[in-house]
Amino acid sequence: WFVSCIMIYYVVLYFVRRYFVEHLKMVLVLLFLISIGLYFVYNDGYQYNMYGATYYKWIHYFIFMLQGAMMGLYSKRNAIEVKNGWMELGKTFVCVLLFYMFCSFKNSETWNIVQVLSLIPLYGVVHYVYRLCNANGIKKFYKEKKLGWCMNAIGGLCLEVYLVQSSLFTDKLNSIFPLNIPIIFIEIVLF
């Protein structure tokens, strides 16, 4: 099922890029509205977690994947220059706080629906982290030979680590805690 979802993502991305590349903002807004509408289809009531064990999260995760692609595409067209990374860090922090605040309503029978609003600050988190990484002070680190290579390696492994970690987590090594944590981590990175 997981591989099928990834393939669907690539097919949809292909058509979006092929036919709607000049209208990406409109596509993003449309997907955002569809995602909010589908929340009511997938929401099964009390304590529903839209980021938990549900296929609904794949719908809104696509929005943020498209957002990242748009930011990369637009940054190639127009160079982004952020002089003050502290402002972007502050905006990121506020968006993270709002995200968790909205997600905390998932345990409320009356206010469970509020968690769908967490998509808005999550959009802000992605936007401001991207801008933060384009701050002049951070870009200096990219250009250093060893540190830049390390940052690229870690960034390149993020998706792969996310994809394989759930199949490699185990509690069989809990008897050697805290050594089990680095052992599992190394296993995940090697895999």
Side-chain angles (χ1 to χ4, degrees), residues 33-48:
L33 293 173
I34 289 171
S35 179
I36 290 173
L38 287 174
Y39 171 81
F40 297 102
V41 172
Y42 280 93
N43 185 346
D44 59 2
Y46 179 62
Q47 289 192 340
Y48 175 73

Side-chain angles (χ1 to χ4, degrees), residues 20-81:
F20 300 105
V21 75
E22 297 301 322
H23 308 285
L24 289 177
K25 289 180 183 177
M26 194 169 55
V27 170
L28 192 69
V29 169
L30 181 65
L31 288 172
F32 189 76
L33 293 173
I34 289 171
S35 179
I36 290 173
L38 287 174
Y39 171 81
F40 297 102
V41 172
Y42 280 93
N43 185 346
D44 59 2
Y46 179 62
Q47 289 192 340
Y48 175 73
N49 180 0
M50 63 186 263
Y51 298 100
T54 176
Y55 292 118
Y56 169 66
K57 67 184 171 190
W58 288 91
I59 297 164
H60 54 262
Y61 285 176
F62 182 79
I63 293 171
F64 300 108
M65 188 170 74
L66 181 61
Q67 179 191 7
M70 286 172 58
M71 294 172 113
L73 180 66
Y74 293 151
S75 70
K76 287 180 182 176
R77 292 180 184 170
N78 306 320
I80 295 175
E81 185 172 339

Side-chain angles (χ1 to χ4, degrees), residues 30-141:
L30 181 65
L31 288 172
F32 189 76
L33 293 173
I34 289 171
S35 179
I36 290 173
L38 287 174
Y39 171 81
F40 297 102
V41 172
Y42 280 93
N43 185 346
D44 59 2
Y46 179 62
Q47 289 192 340
Y48 175 73
N49 180 0
M50 63 186 263
Y51 298 100
T54 176
Y55 292 118
Y56 169 66
K57 67 184 171 190
W58 288 91
I59 297 164
H60 54 262
Y61 285 176
F62 182 79
I63 293 171
F64 300 108
M65 188 170 74
L66 181 61
Q67 179 191 7
M70 286 172 58
M71 294 172 113
L73 180 66
Y74 293 151
S75 70
K76 287 180 182 176
R77 292 180 184 170
N78 306 320
I80 295 175
E81 185 172 339
V82 179
K83 294 180 181 172
N84 186 359
W86 292 106
M87 286 296 291
E88 305 308 316
L89 183 63
K91 292 173 187 175
T92 302
F93 184 70
V94 168
C95 286
V96 168
L97 285 177
L98 287 171
F99 170 77
Y100 281 110
M101 183 188 75
F102 287 135
C103 286
S104 68
F105 286 99
K106 72 177 184 281
N107 296 324
S108 168
E109 189 171 348
T110 307
W111 295 101
N112 182 281
I113 194 170
V114 172
Q115 72 176 316
V116 77
L117 296 175
S118 68
L119 294 173
I120 297 166
L122 189 56
Y123 183 87
V125 169
V126 173
H127 178 78
Y128 291 120
V129 165
Y130 183 81
R131 288 187 53 84
L132 177 64
C133 291
N134 279 288
N136 292 338
I138 302 290
K139 283 185 176 182
K140 290 178 186 175
F141 291 121

